[in-house]
């Protein structure tokens, strides 16, 4: 893609910003958004920042019928020194391109996307909340817009970035959650779309989550779709276990999302010289470790929650309470360190931070 | 749901109708559409027929992010006696509700949906093409419209019906297609969304189809996601084999779409006293039958194509040419009978037809 001119149209009116204590995840959006169009033969074109506004699409637009879509999630933080920090944003756009490849969506220019995102943040900089635990959640996404009911990759797309000031994803904050191990429903399978951030994976997960919530569990733990033995993810997060001093997370296998928080935790643990292993791990192994008193901690990881400690698993009609249902020491340290690096309160030893003005 | 008043707003302008020989599948749409809204606490409300028009949705509408959507496809036919016929339309709305259940979308009133559809067809009756092989393709669909980035079932939806005059789905008509057996990618898996007509299944299928097309195959045959042995579907159709005089189709197992054409073919074969069995069937069994000279015919079935004969399978670097690559006798008879019943040219022995004025 050749260098593009980014057009900016500023909003003539400003929306009222929500109070910090009223922030809900993904409900309020800033005054502007980024849009870029794709048409076969023309490529990605017409990149622009415009006032936040509804999308107008034909009812036959493919996104409404065949689910050809991908998305990303990342955050911007305002430091006490009034600097704006982004956490490994290039990783998000690189992953968006991997998702694009799986969904037959044309790739984007990572460098240009990052440049456009920075410009969008500059325009809506006032929207970044400054209170403890808050941030500006950024949602890049691509949708197929061709008005056609044939099942095939679309010839038209929109790449859009919207932004939402957020508090914590989980209202309970870093309080441990209860997780039910899902034994009936599948999120995806080898050869499927599990590794891609695409709508269908999330749509497929709703039913199991709805059932688990009725039983008092906030998320489900997904097992592999083939043998229903090996651990894949928890809710829409990656998952880690601390067993007898060693940290273990399921190895990437094509059906597990390549989490950026996941990768960062592995790198951080290695930097701390804490033993960490990516490998296949079965629910039976976790259960056996629990019975042997060696399951010390468990936690989910993702952009929205960063670290979500797990206080209890429910599997085969048995409750497994971890660390007395309390947040573990390592979970807390990882949360404090990652969020500290993200909001600029502590040093960034692994060079993860991009400053808005870099 | 209580009886609803269906409001009708007629278009003041009429679009030009495409010529019969210019009809493309799903590219042109009639002058009107049906819309009904859902809001939690209020239920489905405000059903209306309005001029065909774009949808205006917030960029945070859940359909753009988490793929919560379902759809259906059916056809209306104009007979030589100027009657309008529908083929088992109640089955489509019943299946839409089964898809809704899997995707956590509130159910619709089947009777009311059918009434609304009939009214929509009456309004756009002039759009039903009358030439041989043509029909009015009907696309009901439901999308999650709540503007919220949390992963959960939406609290707002739109149920929409659009209609498109069509020729044959496959430009080649009833000419046999070449199919590659897919051994890497998966469409879905047990416990997944395979039985539901939801966008994610189709998005997941694009990559394999794109690769097979590059090798000269028009669709792929999907094997089960667990063992990669058992036959599930072909492209976006159900699949049948005629082996040594017996017709076999994969038994419904939760990951295979409950095709209405599939069910109709089974009923028609039973009515004809042709042996037909729904059971698990492996690709190896089909290959062995081929080697033994007993694989007499194979065909895909679906609303769009009705019957799509298969002239060749490609599996494990071997080509299996079926019936010399010609349309088989039974495939042709099923096609002629089903389309004949659908367009009113032959009797309807199993009471499948609903007349618009019934």
């Amino acid at each position: 893609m050749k260098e593009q001119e980014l057009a900016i149209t500023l909003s003539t009116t400003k929306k009222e910003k929500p109070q910090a204590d009223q922030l809900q995840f993904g409900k309020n959006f800033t005054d502007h958004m980024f849009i870029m169009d794709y048409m076969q033969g023309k490529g990605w074109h017409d990149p622009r920042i415009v006032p936040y506004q509804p999308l107008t699409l034909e009812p036959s637009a493919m996104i409404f019928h065949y689910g050809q879509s991908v998305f990303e999630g990342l955050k911007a933080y305002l430091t006490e020194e009034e600097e704006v920090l982004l956490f490994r944003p290039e990783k998000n756009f690189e992953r968006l391109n991997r998702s694009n490849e799986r969904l037959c969506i044309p790739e984007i220019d990572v460098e240009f996307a990052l440049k456009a995102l920075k410009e969008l943040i500059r325009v809506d900089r006032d929207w970044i909340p400054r209170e403890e635990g808050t941030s500006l959640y950024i949602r890049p996404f691509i949708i197929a817009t061709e008005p056609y009911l044939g099942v095939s990759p679309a010839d038209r797309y929109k790449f859009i970035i919207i932004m939402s000031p957020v508090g914590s994803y989980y209202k309970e904050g870093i309080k441990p959650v209860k997780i039910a191990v899902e034994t009936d429903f599948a999120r995806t399978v080898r050869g499927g779309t599990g590794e891609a951030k695409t709508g269908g994976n999330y749509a497929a997960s709703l039913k199991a989550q709805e059932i688990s919530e009725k039983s008092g569990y906030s998320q489900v733990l997904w097992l592999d779709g083939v043998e229903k033995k090996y651990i894949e993810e928890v809710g829409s997060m990656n998952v880690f276990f601390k067993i007898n001093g060693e940290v273990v997370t399921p190895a990437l296998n094509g059906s597990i999302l390549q989490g950026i928080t996941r990768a960062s935790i592995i790198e951080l643990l290695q930097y701390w010289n804490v033993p960490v292993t990516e490998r296949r791990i079965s629910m039976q192994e976790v259960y056996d470790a629990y019975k042997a008193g060696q399951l010390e901690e468990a936690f989910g990881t993702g952009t929205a929650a960063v670290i979500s400690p797990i206080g209890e698993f429910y599997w085969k009609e048995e409750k497994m309470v971890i660390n007395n249902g309390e947040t573990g020491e390592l979970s807390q340290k990882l949360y404090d360190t990652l969020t500290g690096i993200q909001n600029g309160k502590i040093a960034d030893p692994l060079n993860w931070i991009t400053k808005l003005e870099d």
Side-chain angles (χ1 to χ4, degrees), chain A residues 234 238-242 247-250 261-266 269 276-278 295 297-301 307 310 313 334:
Chain A
V234 56
N238 293 115
V239 64
F240 285 74
F241 303 90
K242 182 162 169 265
V247 180
V248 181
T249 191
T261 309
R262 176 189 179 280
S264 303
I265 284 167
I266 292 169
L269 290 170
V276 54
T277 314
E278 298 175 73
L295 179 58
E297 300 187 33
F299 52 92
T301 71
I307 300 279
I310 297 167
F313 284 115
L334 283 165

Side-chain angles (χ1 to χ4, degrees), chain A residues 17-223:
Chain A
K17 295 178 182 66
Q19 303 255 308
D21 60 352
Q22 301 290 310
L23 288 175
Q24 289 179 282
F25 181 85
K27 290 224 171 181
N28 300 101
F29 297 89
T30 66
D31 286 315
H32 299 84
M33 63 199 282
F34 168 79
I35 311 184
M36 180 159 64
D37 298 304
Y38 179 92
M39 183 174 279
Q40 206 168 52
K42 197 172 176 184
W44 287 109
H45 63 276
D46 199 11
R48 57 206 186 271
I49 289 170
V50 294
Y52 190 87
Q53 59 192 269
L55 301 177
T56 298
L57 296 172
E58 290 296 309
S60 58
M62 283 173 145
I63 180 61
F64 298 133
H65 304 273
Y66 305 127
Q68 203 190 359
S69 67
V70 294
F71 71 92
E72 276 299 326
L74 68 161
K75 288 177 176 173
Y77 305 82
L78 190 67
T79 69
E80 288 174 353
E81 294 75 31
E82 302 284 322
E83 280 190 310
V84 178
L85 308 185
L86 289 162
F87 185 73
R88 314 185 85 177
E90 69 287 353
K91 296 280 178 203
N92 290 92
F93 292 120
E94 287 164 8
R95 185 172 62 182
L96 189 64
N97 269 342
R98 289 197 299 276
S99 299
N100 281 338
E101 202 277 335
R102 180 64 183 84
L103 274 296
C104 301
I105 296 174
E107 74 173 348
I108 58 156
D109 181 321
V110 168
E111 209 175 311
F112 181 75
L114 188 53
K115 186 180 137 183
L117 171 60
K118 284 182 171 180
E119 194 57 42
L120 179 63
I121 296 172
R122 270 183 216 112
V123 168
D124 277 339
R125 186 184 172 116
D126 287 352
W127 279 87
I128 311 175
R130 54 183 65 242
E131 292 75 10
E132 180 71 30
T134 64
S135 58
L136 186 68
Y137 182 80
I138 298 158
R139 169 56 59 92
F141 63 106
I142 301 178
I143 53 173
T145 57
E146 184 188 0
Y148 174 43
L149 297 184
V151 178
S152 64
D155 67 7
R156 265 161 275 180
Y157 300 87
K158 279 187 190 296
F159 172 30
I160 296 170
I161 305 176
I162 56 176
M163 307 194 297
S164 170
V166 299
S168 286
Y169 187 80
Y170 296 98
K171 288 166 202 142
E172 316 99 298
I174 179 96
K175 205 176 133 222
V177 294
K178 294 181 179 186
I179 302 289
V181 179
E182 178 57 48
T183 49
D184 295 326
F185 291 103
R187 175 186 162 269
T188 183
V189 72
R190 115 195 117 184
T193 53
E195 203 169 60
K197 266 188 108 66
T198 182
N201 296 342
Y202 296 79
S205 77
L206 296 174
K207 188 79 191 167
Q209 186 178 325
E210 191 178 71
I211 292 169
S212 72
E213 278 175 7
K214 280 180 187 154
S215 308
Y217 291 87
S218 64
Q219 301 271 345
V220 301
L221 181 138
W222 297 104
L223 299 175

Side-chain angles (χ1 to χ4, degrees), chain A residues 300-319:
Chain A
T301 71
T303 294
V306 186
I307 300 279
S308 181
I310 297 167
E312 181 184 319
F313 284 115
Y314 182 78
W315 187 51
K316 293 190 174 171
E317 306 193 358
E318 191 162 346
K319 289 181 182 178

